[in-house]
Amino acid sequence: MLLHDFTNPIEIFLISSFGASILEYITSWGMEKLFHARWWDYSHYRFNIQGRICLLGAIVFGFGGVLIIDVVQPQVERLTAMIPLLAVHVICAVAAIVVIIDTIVTVVGIVGLSERLAKFSEAVQERAEKAGDSWQWGKEEFREKMHDLSESSQERVANMRQLVSSALNWQQRRMIRSFPRMRSTDSTKYSKIMETVREMLRRK
């Protein structure tokens, strides 16, 4: 909608790059404050700003904007022109309701992630102590543990996977699995727990 009247590809590219990067930066900051977690991190890319946005991402957004405005949108307009206006309005209203419901479900599901991670950590450590073992958090530590464990101990890991399912709700597990660089801003330990949970879920 914002770029509808622009025809110059260079202008579209620049506005898309800056506009999407600003939106991504604000989204990253807002989600970090709301959920106490960093969902993505571009620190490993050159020319980044606080790991929230990077030059490569801006370039991709720019080309994406040109593609959408010059290629995709004309085809969308051609198709929607064949649909009665009332039907278009109904479809848009239904789509908007679905997006709102999805947003509410996602937010409600993610809130309290740090508390859930803390409870999960306590439960795992408690089980490990009862078995005369110790548990170190982190992806590499988990891989080592998996490599070293005997068959009977593998069963304990399977039990811990079940513990993940009971401690973290579906939305929390999905987000941890979907964002490989997601980390907690509350505690390095929680970030390590996320790494371990991600590795557990990946090996299912």
Side-chain angles (χ1 to χ4, degrees):
M1 289 177 65
L2 294 175
L3 298 176
H4 186 268
D5 296 327
F6 288 86
T7 55
N8 186 322
I10 295 175
E11 288 180 342
I12 295 171
F13 177 89
L14 292 174
I15 294 170
S16 298
S17 293
F18 283 105
S21 294
I22 290 168
L23 179 62
E24 186 178 33
Y25 187 96
I26 293 170
T27 302
S28 171
W29 179 86
M31 290 176 72
E32 183 177 320
K33 296 301 178 188
L34 182 61
F35 301 114
H36 305 282
R38 191 76 174 267
W39 301 79
W40 60 86
D41 188 356
Y42 298 130
S43 297
H44 56 297
Y45 287 105
R46 296 182 67 186
F47 310 113
N48 70 84
I49 299 177
Q50 297 177 355
R52 299 185 191 280
I53 57 175
C54 67
L55 179 60
L56 177 61
I59 292 170
V60 171
F61 284 135
F63 280 117
V66 174
L67 181 68
I68 289 170
I69 297 301
D70 288 347
V71 180
V72 177
Q73 184 59 21
Q75 298 305 316
V76 171
E77 287 182 357
R78 185 178 63 81
L79 291 172
T80 53
M82 300 184 212
I83 305 172
L85 190 58
L86 178 61
V88 172
H89 288 166
V90 170
I91 291 168
C92 288
V94 171
I97 291 168
V98 170
V99 169
I100 291 168
I101 292 172
D102 177 67
T103 302
I104 292 170
V105 170
T106 301
V107 169
V108 170
I110 295 300
V111 167
L113 177 60
S114 293
E115 291 80 3
R116 296 259 191 151
L117 289 172
K119 288 180 181 177
F120 170 66
S121 172
E122 289 170 12
V124 169
Q125 296 294 359
E126 187 179 325
R127 288 193 181 190
E129 285 173 15
K130 283 181 180 176
D133 197 1
S134 62
W135 190 268
Q136 298 296 318
W137 297 109
K139 179 174 64 176
E140 296 305 323
E141 290 81 354
F142 177 75
R143 286 177 179 171
E144 279 180 32
K145 180 73 89 173
M146 289 289 285
H147 183 267
D148 296 338
L149 288 175
S150 63
E151 294 256 344
S152 60
S153 297
Q154 293 279 4
E155 225 174 276
R156 291 207 330 259
V157 174
N159 290 335
M160 275 188 272
R161 286 187 186 134
Q162 290 178 352
L163 195 58
V164 169
S165 298
S166 61
L168 304 176
N169 65 42
W170 174 76
Q171 288 283 30
Q172 291 165 344
R173 297 195 305 272
R174 180 172 72 89
M175 289 298 173
I176 289 173
R177 191 169 47 234
S178 301
F179 290 86
R181 293 190 177 274
M182 182 179 177
R183 60 181 173 81
S184 170
T185 56
D186 284 341
S187 162
T188 304
K189 178 184 175 183
Y190 291 166
S191 296
K192 289 281 189 181
I193 294 173
M194 285 185 196
E195 285 183 10
T196 305
V197 168
R198 191 176 297 115
E199 192 67 16
M200 283 182 180
L201 294 172
R202 191 181 71 82
R203 288 173 179 259
K204 272 190 172 184

